[in-house]
Amino acid sequence: MRTLGIDDFLTINRMTIPEFELRMKAAELKQLDRIHELHILAWAINQARATKRNGRPVFRTFRSFFDFEKQEKKFWNMGRSRNC
């Protein structure tokens, strides 16, 4: 129940075995996505703390580390290329 986020016994009782198995696979993939996000975060933290040989930070500002506006433009331009 906890893994699937279902707390309604009626829903649980109506669920077929194939539906249960599919929901469990989806829950496992969701967990894998979360683990992936955590590893990306750990990598980003490592990159943000990176220094050059002279001891100066590689990224002097947050924007040099992650330019949100640039990423947002790339996102919207991708949508146009897919005929959205």
Side-chain angles (χ1 to χ4, degrees):
M1 288 174 38
R2 181 173 119 190
T3 302
L4 298 177
I6 302 171
D7 57 1
D8 177 26
F9 284 108
L10 186 61
T11 302
I12 293 166
N13 285 332
R14 289 181 178 170
M15 195 181 315
T16 64
I17 298 297
E19 181 183 358
F20 171 78
E21 290 173 350
L22 186 61
R23 286 180 181 238
M24 286 302 294
K25 281 288 183 197
E28 290 169 8
L29 287 172
K30 189 174 183 178
Q31 180 64 21
L32 180 59
D33 288 343
R34 178 71 178 133
I35 291 168
H36 183 241
E37 288 174 6
L38 290 171
H39 281 78
I40 289 172
L41 176 61
W43 180 258
I45 290 169
N46 186 44
Q47 291 299 318
R49 292 178 24 195
T51 57
K52 297 178 182 178
R53 289 184 183 194
N54 62 9
R56 290 188 174 194
V58 173
F59 304 103
R60 302 197 78 175
T61 64
F62 180 76
R63 179 177 238 150
S64 68
F65 177 68
F66 182 77
D67 188 340
F68 181 84
E69 289 79 15
K70 182 178 177 181
Q71 295 300 319
E72 188 176 34
K73 283 180 186 178
K74 281 173 62 175
F75 170 80
W76 288 114
N77 289 333
M78 279 185 356
R80 286 192 196 112
S81 66
R82 293 183 184 170
N83 297 323
C84 292

